[in-house]
Amino acid sequence: MTLPLDLLMFAALIGAILLGYPVSFSIAGVASIFALLGWLTGSFDLSLLGALGQRIFGLLTNDVLIAIPLFVFMGVVLEKSRIAEDLLETMGRLFGRVRGGLGVSVILVGALLAASTGIVGATVVAMGMIALPTMLRNGYNPKLASGVVCTSGTLGQIIPPSTLLIILSDVMSNAYQQAQFAQGKFTIETISVGQIFAAALMPGLLLVGIYILYMLMRAWLIPTDAPAMSESVVKPTAREIFLAVVPPVLLIVAVLGAILGGVATPGEAASVGAVGALLMAGVRMKASPTLMMAGGASLLLLAVLAGLFPVRIQRSDAGLFEWSMAFLFATLTFIGGMALFVSLKRTFTNSILKPTLSSTMVVTAMIFATILTASIFSLVFVGLGGEERITEILKSMPGGPTGALIFCMAIIFVLGFFLDFVEITVILLPLIAPALILMGHDPMWLAVLIAINLQTSFLTPPFGFSLFYLRGAAPKEITTGHIYLGVVPFIVLQIVGVSLIWLVPKVATWLPGIVY
């Protein structure tokens, strides 16, 4: 008995990726080969590939995905300008004298960096180079230190704004619309990025709380694993704490507040984040703090006033008020523009701007290439009958909708050992999510469960990306064995977090219900 082409296609894709061939080329190549095989065997209609142009155009004009390069840019600026290092060093001195306090500070900094950068690699590498040696010098268990650094760095995937959540919101919104069409509804609802961000915020904070509780309990049960720092460590002053913590927090509040409050689209909010990160980098590069704050305040005031009092001076009935507001807007634009110009100049002369732009382009190109080629893959897979087969498999699962969801979560967890979150999100989820929603699962609750499961893929050996990031940044006394064994308790904590959200769905659905 021969295996159907759709199942062979999925197996061939996993094999190609495991061989180490570039992911986007693997996806497109496997799709092309199986489209040809399907045509030769009479099981695929090549005319379906005519929809590719429309799919590519839809991807390139997707308002949601425009936010990705801006959020990536914001995160890379904060990492390259060493703002993250200042935050980590200050928090370490603040909590270090408490048993387990240094580990708690790493978790809290990971949460703050997650909400301000959203880039796992940058966070793990920064904490691996700064916090890990400090923890080892203070007698921390190498496995515990490695595990807490790896896990805290992955919070950028579940705490908004996050690249994973942006891609996931687009996938889940499409799946939700497909499910409603299948139910015969023609007045359909959609899911916005803001709703997914709101749904993920409380679960993300829940995970932070679980990590902190574990760290304090382990320090209490096994004091030698997480001892307090020596008395010689100088506690930071209130001014140092303010300068290190308040700017990132204000940036987070501005970005998330704009999205959750419905004031700005994700792309607009990401622009606010990118500009804010640039101004913060300017201060870090010794630009005038007064000019940077004046520039930031001017741009913020401009955004508010322009929304409240839109001015059209080309109109024939424009009076004194309109011309006065136009002059004010021009002045605010000039001040903000000057601050940005000085900040860009400082980051350029300090060799930060060029590597920031290069990193942003590399990450963005990787994400979009994967999404684009995954669209080709899904088109061929559906044409080979794969969508109907997956629906039948899920419907035949024992336990009904719950059994089907457990099965899908297990598949995602296992695939996380080998595949990246982008690949799983854009290849597998469009195939299983519509069926799960049709079975009655709340799409936002489902998105959060999947997001935490995908976050775990960064921690699972042998191909967990956080493990590789830390391996490259860790001091020589940290072995690969330390890192692999260190993340095991935190993988268990991830499963605990998923279980809590599964048992208490309100954790994910309460905030979106209030805000929207």
Side-chain angles (χ1 to χ4, degrees):
M1 180 180 175
T2 58
L3 279 173
L5 281 178
D6 51 349
L7 297 181
L8 282 173
M9 180 181 180
F10 207 85
L13 174 64
I14 294 175
I17 292 173
L18 291 179
L19 287 174
Y21 202 68
V23 172
S24 55
F25 295 130
S26 298
I27 298 171
V30 168
S32 301
I33 291 170
F34 276 84
L36 183 60
L37 287 175
W39 176 67
L40 291 174
T41 57
S43 54
F44 181 76
D45 182 2
L46 278 181
S47 64
L48 287 174
L49 295 179
L52 280 180
Q54 186 178 356
R55 287 195 170 205
I56 293 170
F57 181 77
L59 171 68
L60 297 178
T61 56
N62 190 317
D63 291 337
V64 172
L65 300 180
I66 289 172
I68 290 177
L70 292 167
F71 277 129
V72 172
F73 177 81
M74 179 178 80
V76 177
V77 167
L78 293 177
E79 184 246 330
K80 299 286 185 188
S81 60
R82 307 177 77 88
I83 293 171
E85 289 188 22
D86 289 348
L87 180 62
L88 194 56
E89 189 263 342
T90 304
M91 294 291 277
R93 287 161 54 201
L94 180 62
F95 292 102
R97 292 187 181 180
V98 180
R99 189 188 299 171
L102 194 54
V104 170
S105 71
V106 169
I107 295 168
L108 290 174
V109 170
L112 283 172
L113 293 180
S116 54
T117 69
I119 302 175
V120 170
T123 307
V124 172
V125 169
M127 293 199 294
M129 295 177 67
I130 308 160
L132 193 53
T134 305
M135 296 171 85
L136 295 176
R137 281 197 304 270
N138 283 276
Y140 269 64
N141 183 312
K143 288 181 284 190
L144 176 62
S146 303
V148 75
V149 167
C150 268
T151 308
S152 302
T154 64
L155 285 169
Q157 293 304 301
I158 187 62
I159 295 180
S162 151
T163 302
L164 166 61
L165 294 178
I166 294 172
I167 300 171
L168 190 59
S169 69
D170 185 59
V171 171
M172 292 304 294
S173 182
N174 291 333
Y176 188 36
Q177 291 175 56
Q178 285 182 43
Q180 290 175 91
F181 279 129
Q183 291 171 332
K185 296 179 181 178
F186 295 99
T187 304
I188 59 171
E189 299 176 14
T190 58
I191 299 174
S192 67
V193 176
Q195 287 175 293
I196 296 294
F197 278 6
L201 186 57
M202 296 304 293
L205 296 178
L206 174 67
L207 285 179
V208 173
I210 291 172
Y211 299 159
I212 291 175
L213 185 61
Y214 171 76
M215 177 60 65
L216 294 176
M217 286 181 62
R218 182 156 174 176
W220 179 63
L221 293 171
I222 314 174
T224 54
D225 272 6
M229 294 177 73
S230 64
E231 295 294 328
S232 61
V233 176
V234 180
K235 289 193 73 171
T237 63
R239 184 176 182 274
E240 287 177 321
I241 296 172
F242 179 86
L243 292 176
V245 176
V246 171
V249 169
L250 287 177
L251 187 63
I252 294 164
V253 170
V255 173
L256 282 185
I259 296 174
L260 299 182
V263 177
T265 66
E268 292 165 348
S271 303
V272 171
V275 169
L278 266 177
L279 294 177
M280 288 168 59
V283 175
R284 187 71 173 74
M285 298 296 111
K286 309 300 183 186
S288 168
T290 305
L291 176 60
M292 296 298 107
M293 287 189 289
S298 298
L299 293 173
L300 181 61
L301 185 60
L302 176 64
V304 173
L305 291 178
L308 294 174
F309 308 106
V311 173
R312 303 286 187 272
I313 57 174
Q314 69 269 29
R315 289 175 49 171
S316 59
D317 59 346
L320 179 62
F321 175 77
E322 284 76 14
W323 281 99
S324 301
M325 292 302 294
F327 178 76
L328 175 61
F329 289 174
T331 304
L332 294 174
T333 303
F334 177 76
I335 297 171
M338 281 298 298
L340 275 175
F341 175 77
V342 172
S343 182
L344 285 169
K345 184 179 178 183
R346 293 279 180 170
T347 52
F348 180 77
T349 54
N350 284 276
S351 301
I352 289 175
L353 186 59
K354 186 177 178 180
T356 296
L357 293 174
S358 298
S359 296
T360 301
M361 289 300 295
V362 168
V363 174
T364 303
M366 181 273 293
I367 292 173
F368 274 83
T370 306
I371 296 173
L372 185 62
T373 52
S375 181
I376 304 172
F377 182 91
S378 64
L379 185 64
V380 176
F381 188 79
V382 170
L384 290 171
E387 191 174 39
E388 290 84 359
R389 186 181 304 280
I390 286 177
T391 303
E392 290 172 8
I393 291 172
L394 294 181
K395 285 181 178 178
S396 64
M397 281 289 121
T402 302
L405 182 54
I406 292 173
F407 175 72
C408 291
M409 293 292 284
I411 287 178
I412 293 170
F413 183 77
V414 171
L415 287 178
F417 281 77
F418 311 103
L419 304 181
D420 183 24
F421 77 94
V422 179
E423 298 147 26
I424 299 173
T425 304
V426 298
I427 297 172
L428 179 64
L429 294 190
L431 304 174
I432 63 174
L436 291 174
I437 294 171
L438 278 171
M439 289 179 174
H441 295 296
D442 183 278
M444 283 183 287
W445 174 74
L446 183 63
V448 171
L449 290 180
I450 292 172
I452 297 177
N453 202 344
L454 289 171
Q455 178 201 354
T456 311
S457 70
F458 279 84
L459 301 173
T460 45
F463 300 117
F465 278 72
S466 284
L467 312 179
F468 290 132
Y469 294 142
L470 186 60
R471 177 64 275 169
K476 59 177 185 253
E477 59 264 36
I478 294 291
T479 65
T480 303
H482 286 145
I483 297 173
Y484 279 15
L485 292 173
V487 297
V488 171
F490 291 95
I491 294 173
V492 175
L493 293 179
Q494 293 285 115
I495 297 172
V496 170
V498 169
S499 303
L500 288 173
I501 296 163
W502 191 307
L503 296 172
V504 189
K506 281 286 184 184
V507 176
T509 59
W510 172 77
L511 188 57
I514 294 293
V515 176
Y516 293 94

